[in-house]
């Protein structure tokens, strides 16, 4: 084999070795093996004196070319390996570590109780509808028999929305209750009506363990011929039984809301148990009010074009957070909206 054939053989062997090199250490060995001080190419170059005189320039140039080719290819592969190692370091990838279990999310406790309550009413033949949170004075108050200057407006501490484009008769606010949907729905449809309206409400109020400044309500409205107070009580007792069970005490009392006559409120017992603990610990009261209700006022029916001599109806507005508190033993309504995972994760 002459020196040129030797160079070709070395080149082929190097290509094979390069493919098999799997890490920086092996590349280092290759460098030493081929172009190190005693490497095969270096040794061959040193033997130039034994090459025929006329072949020496060609041999010298070919051997140096091979040397720099080998050096270049090794450097390229070193770069690839280094980048790969940097990437692995950056990702902090340790394939032997156990996988992370993803945290399973769930519906917010308010959404859960709202859905549960709506499902009960759907099973009783009600439909679920929704309405706007930014409301006109007209629907939040006036069509509910609460004209401007009526003292009952003080019952709902209102957050008004400044809007220079709206006239005084068309002013806007954050709805203080879901009752405006009574007027909106009746105005747009004809009896018979059987709806529930879940939604968020806002009041300019100081907060305490049973009062938030933003909270949910679920409005209920039934209008048809021959609807009476017994229907109202029967529906709400049935609802209370399904949420709280047969044994929980329920109390009706007379109450005043300008858009119903007669009006009532309904409370659920918060009595101390045998260990002296109340379901809502933060409230030292035997009864907690969960809803207002009553027979739709004839003036409200007239206002939407219904004849109160033909149609009658009942309505109610309940607080789902308070219902959840009383049933699930939550001591403060403010937990619902404080984004504390220790509270929220109890409802997964
Ligand atoms: C009303 O808002 C009437 N619209 C209810 C109504 C509807 C009466 C239809 C007659 C006919 P009231 O302000 O009492 O009523 O609120 C009703 C329920 O909403 C309360 O019983 C309570 O459960 C809940 N609620 C009221 N204010 C708050 C508050 N600040 N934080 C949490 N829940 C509240």
């Amino acid at each position: 084999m002459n020196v040129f054939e030797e160079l070709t053989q070395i080149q082929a062997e190097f290509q094979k070795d390069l493919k098999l090199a799997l890490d920086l250490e092996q590349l280092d060995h290759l460098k030493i093996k081929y172009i190190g001080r005693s490497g095969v190419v270096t040794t061959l170059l040193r033997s130039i004196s034994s090459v025929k005189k006329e072949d020496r320039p060609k041999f010298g140039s070919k051997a140096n070319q091979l040397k720099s080719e080998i050096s270049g290819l090794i450097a390229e592969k070193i770069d690839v390996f280094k980048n790969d190692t940097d990437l692995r370091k950056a990702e902090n990838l340790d394939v032997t570590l156990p996988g992370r279990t993803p945290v399973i999310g769930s519906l917010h406790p308010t959404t859960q109780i709202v859905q549960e309550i709506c499902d009960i009413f759907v099973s009783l033949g009600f439909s679920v509808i929704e309405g706007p949170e930014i409301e006109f004075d007209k629907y939040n108050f006036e069509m509910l028999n609460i004209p401007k200057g009526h003292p009952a407006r003080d019952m709902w501490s209102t957050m008004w929305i400044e809007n220079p484009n709206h006239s005084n008769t068309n002013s806007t606010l954050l709805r203080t209750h879901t009752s405006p949907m009574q007027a909106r729905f009746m105005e747009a449809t004809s009896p018979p009506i059987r709806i529930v309206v879940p939604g968020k409400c806002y009041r300019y109020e100081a907060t305490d363990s049973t009062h938030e400044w933003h909270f949910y309500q679920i409005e209920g409205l039934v209008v048809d011929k021959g609807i009476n107070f017994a229907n109202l009580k029967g529906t709400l007792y049935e609802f209370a039984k399904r949420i709280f069970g047969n044994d929980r005490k329920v109390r009706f009392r007379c109450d005043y809301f300008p858009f119903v006559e007669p009006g009532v409120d309904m409370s659920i017992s918060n009595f101390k148990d045998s260990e002296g603990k109340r379901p809502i610990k933060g409230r030292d009261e035997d009864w907690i009010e969960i809803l207002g209700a009553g027979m739709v006022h004839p003036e409200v029916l007239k206002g939407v074009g219904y004849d109160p001599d033909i149609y009658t109806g009942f309505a109610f507005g309940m607080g789902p957070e308070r219902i959840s508190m009383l049933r699930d033993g939550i001591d403060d309504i403010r937990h619902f909206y404080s984004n504390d995972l220790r509270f929220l994760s109890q409802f997964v």
Side-chain angles (χ1 to χ4, degrees):
M1 199 188 304
N2 66 33
V3 280
F4 293 105
E5 285 166 345
E6 266 188 73
L7 281 177
T8 316
Q9 193 181 13
I10 293 171
Q11 191 180 26
E13 261 173 39
F14 169 75
Q15 291 292 355
K16 259 193 246 160
D17 280 352
L18 186 68
K19 265 189 205 150
L20 295 174
L22 295 175
D23 55 31
L24 290 169
E25 202 182 330
Q26 288 179 1
L27 284 174
D28 238 18
H29 285 141
L30 275 194
K31 204 171 179 180
I32 296 166
K33 178 178 170 185
Y34 286 93
I35 53 174
R37 252 197 245 161
S38 321
V40 282
V41 182
T42 324
T43 314
L44 197 62
L45 254 173
R46 269 199 217 116
S47 68
I48 194 159
S49 53
S50 61
V51 179
K52 275 192 254 161
K53 215 172 181 185
E54 64 272 24
D55 286 340
R56 278 182 202 165
K58 191 177 167 196
F59 167 70
S61 132
K62 285 233 168 203
N64 277 319
Q65 219 179 317
L66 179 61
K67 208 175 169 184
S68 60
E69 183 188 322
I70 289 174
S71 159
L73 287 170
I74 290 177
E76 250 176 48
K77 203 155 176 180
I78 287 176
D79 272 356
V80 171
F81 281 167
K82 272 194 175 155
N83 281 341
D84 203 33
T85 320
D86 287 351
L87 211 67
R88 272 190 250 163
K89 269 191 207 150
E91 284 176 354
N92 212 1
L93 186 69
D94 181 350
V95 290
T96 61
L97 280 175
R100 284 191 203 122
T101 318
V103 181
I104 298 171
S106 65
L107 293 176
H108 188 274
T110 305
T111 311
Q112 292 188 32
I113 187 74
V114 167
Q115 285 186 354
E116 200 182 331
I117 293 171
C118 287
D119 284 350
I120 291 173
F121 282 102
V122 166
S123 78
L124 296 174
F126 286 68
S127 304
V128 181
I129 61 150
E130 285 181 299
E133 286 177 29
I134 293 179
E135 193 47 285
F136 290 113
D137 181 324
K138 173 180 154 190
Y139 292 109
N140 198 82
F141 291 125
E142 287 184 31
M143 290 185 76
L144 295 175
N145 204 23
I146 315 172
K148 288 210 166 48
H150 194 294
R153 285 196 176 209
D154 290 347
M155 291 165 73
W156 293 276
S157 312
T158 308
M159 289 193 235
W160 296 93
I161 297 171
E162 270 182 34
N163 189 338
N165 297 326
H166 284 144
S167 65
N168 201 23
T169 52
N170 212 9
S171 34
T172 42
L173 48 86
L174 290 177
R175 70 175 170 197
T176 57
H177 50 177
T178 42
S179 299
M181 278 310 289
Q182 288 186 32
R184 277 182 180 273
F185 196 77
M186 285 194 279
E187 194 180 51
T189 44
S190 320
I193 291 171
R194 225 181 288 151
I195 54 163
V196 281
V197 190
K200 207 166 183 185
C201 306
Y202 303 82
R203 291 189 194 172
Y204 187 63
E205 263 181 18
T207 62
D208 62 24
S209 59
T210 54
H211 292 85
E212 256 291 6
W213 66 269
H214 62 115
F215 55 96
Y216 274 70
Q217 279 194 345
I218 299 177
E219 192 78 8
L221 176 68
V222 173
V223 182
D224 203 350
K225 290 176 185 160
I227 299 292
N228 57 36
F229 199 80
N231 300 136
L232 180 159
K233 277 186 97 174
T235 305
L236 291 178
Y237 269 133
E238 178 61 25
F239 158 74
K241 239 197 276 172
R242 296 225 201 151
I243 284 279
F244 296 104
N246 287 333
D247 300 331
R248 195 76 177 262
K249 287 203 168 66
V250 175
R251 183 182 77 176
F252 273 97
R253 276 190 321 184
C254 290
D255 204 346
Y256 170 71
F257 302 96
F259 36 95
V260 290
E261 181 56 40
V264 290
D265 63 46
M266 183 170 142
S267 300
I268 302 294
S269 67
N270 188 40
F271 292 119
K272 287 180 183 160
D273 62 14
S274 52
E275 289 168 14
K277 288 188 192 143
R278 297 185 186 278
I280 299 184
K281 292 186 215 85
R283 204 85 200 186
D284 198 21
E285 286 161 26
D286 289 340
W287 296 98
I288 302 288
E289 183 205 300
I290 60 159
L291 62 86
M295 299 305 292
V296 182
H297 199 289
E299 286 303 318
V300 174
L301 292 174
K302 271 192 232 161
V304 293
Y306 293 0
D307 183 345
D309 291 331
I310 301 176
Y311 292 110
T312 50
F314 69 82
F316 55 85
M318 59 178 67
E321 292 96 342
R322 283 199 197 166
I323 291 167
S324 175
M325 289 169 76
L326 279 155
R327 192 194 54 184
D328 306 324
I330 298 163
D331 59 359
D332 199 311
I333 195 170
R334 289 165 291 198
H335 289 315
F336 282 87
Y337 305 111
S338 56
N339 289 331
D340 188 336
L341 275 179
R342 286 169 299 183
F343 171 73
L344 296 173
S345 58
Q346 291 169 39
F347 294 83
V348 172

